[in-house]
Amino acid sequence: MTNFSYIALGSNIGDREYYLREGIRELQEHPRIRVTELSSVYETAPVGVTDQPSFLNMVLSLRTDVTPLELLEITQSVEQKLDRVRDKHWGPRTIDLDILLFNDENIKMNELNIPHPRMHERAFVLTPLCDIAASHYVSYYRQTIQELAAPLSGREKEGVHLWKNCFGQGGYGLFES
């Protein structure tokens, strides 16, 4: 499992915590994926379409031997299994799984863009990503994750609040061996 990737997870319909747990479990149970780390979980204000419930967002890292397109198929399959409906762009969803980074690749295709095209603008992505990869250098941006997060406006950061820690005292325990 030589490839690494960072995946953003979000949910704002129904039992948001359940959908995050199930999304992680589905990825973890895939024979060609090993989930290696989880960020804390953040409650975030919706962006784009703001007339909807708040999200729970987090990021995980994984190791895999699949290609980026295969990983996209896997993440979309998990979304479908967890009743993701795509009827409104940026609308409410049970689960959203976005590939943020895959190795140090720069991919521009109709169905897949890596790095994720708006990750550098979103505190709800960069804040949890900083939990597990603050010093990770993204050559496409020529900055670390922490450097990408630094210029985000206070207003953008205000909409992101720690909901639950994943590790340490009071740890979240999203996956347990």
Side-chain angles (χ1 to χ4, degrees):
M1 297 201 174
T2 58
N3 299 314
F4 74 87
S5 183
Y6 293 100
I7 309 289
L9 295 89
S11 174
N12 77 332
I13 294 178
D15 185 344
R16 302 172 301 168
E17 182 179 358
Y18 166 81
Y19 286 113
L20 293 180
R21 284 180 185 270
E22 287 301 299
I24 293 164
R25 188 185 59 73
E26 288 289 333
L27 289 174
Q28 186 176 334
E29 289 181 357
H30 192 282
R32 296 178 67 194
I33 292 175
R34 183 170 49 94
V35 175
T36 57
E37 201 166 2
L38 296 174
S39 73
S40 290
V41 180
Y42 294 84
E43 187 163 39
T44 65
V47 173
V49 177
T50 57
D51 184 22
Q52 60 180 316
S54 295
F55 282 83
L56 291 184
N57 289 100
M58 65 182 303
V59 172
L60 61 78
S61 63
L62 59 81
R63 295 277 180 195
T64 186
D65 63 1
V66 302
T67 68
L69 282 175
E70 289 172 322
L71 184 57
L72 177 64
E73 289 175 17
I74 292 165
T75 59
Q76 289 179 341
S77 172
V78 170
E79 289 178 343
Q80 186 176 14
K81 188 171 185 178
L82 296 176
D83 302 321
R84 165 79 189 262
V85 176
R86 296 177 185 271
D87 61 353
K88 184 176 187 180
H89 186 60
W90 291 341
R93 60 207 79 161
T94 56
I95 189 75
D96 186 26
L97 299 166
D98 287 331
I99 303 169
L100 302 175
L101 299 166
F102 191 96
N103 294 330
D104 198 25
E105 296 188 30
N106 180 12
I107 300 170
K108 298 272 187 234
M109 304 171 83
N110 286 339
E111 63 273 19
L112 181 62
N113 289 300
I114 296 174
H116 190 282
R118 289 170 301 282
M119 69 176 260
H120 67 288
E121 303 169 347
R122 296 184 167 163
F124 69 85
V125 171
L126 291 175
T127 301
L129 188 54
C130 277
D131 283 357
I132 60 174
S135 62
H136 179 80
Y137 183 78
V138 183
S139 62
Y140 180 82
Y141 294 111
R142 297 184 177 162
Q143 293 182 306
T144 65
I145 299 299
Q146 190 167 15
E147 291 168 335
L148 286 172
L152 291 174
S153 73
R155 185 172 150 208
E156 172 84 8
K157 291 177 184 176
E158 284 174 14
V160 178
H161 303 282
L162 180 65
W163 192 70
K164 282 193 179 176
N165 286 321
C166 269
F167 299 111
Q169 188 173 10
Y172 193 32
L174 276 171
F175 64 84
E176 296 160 359
S177 298

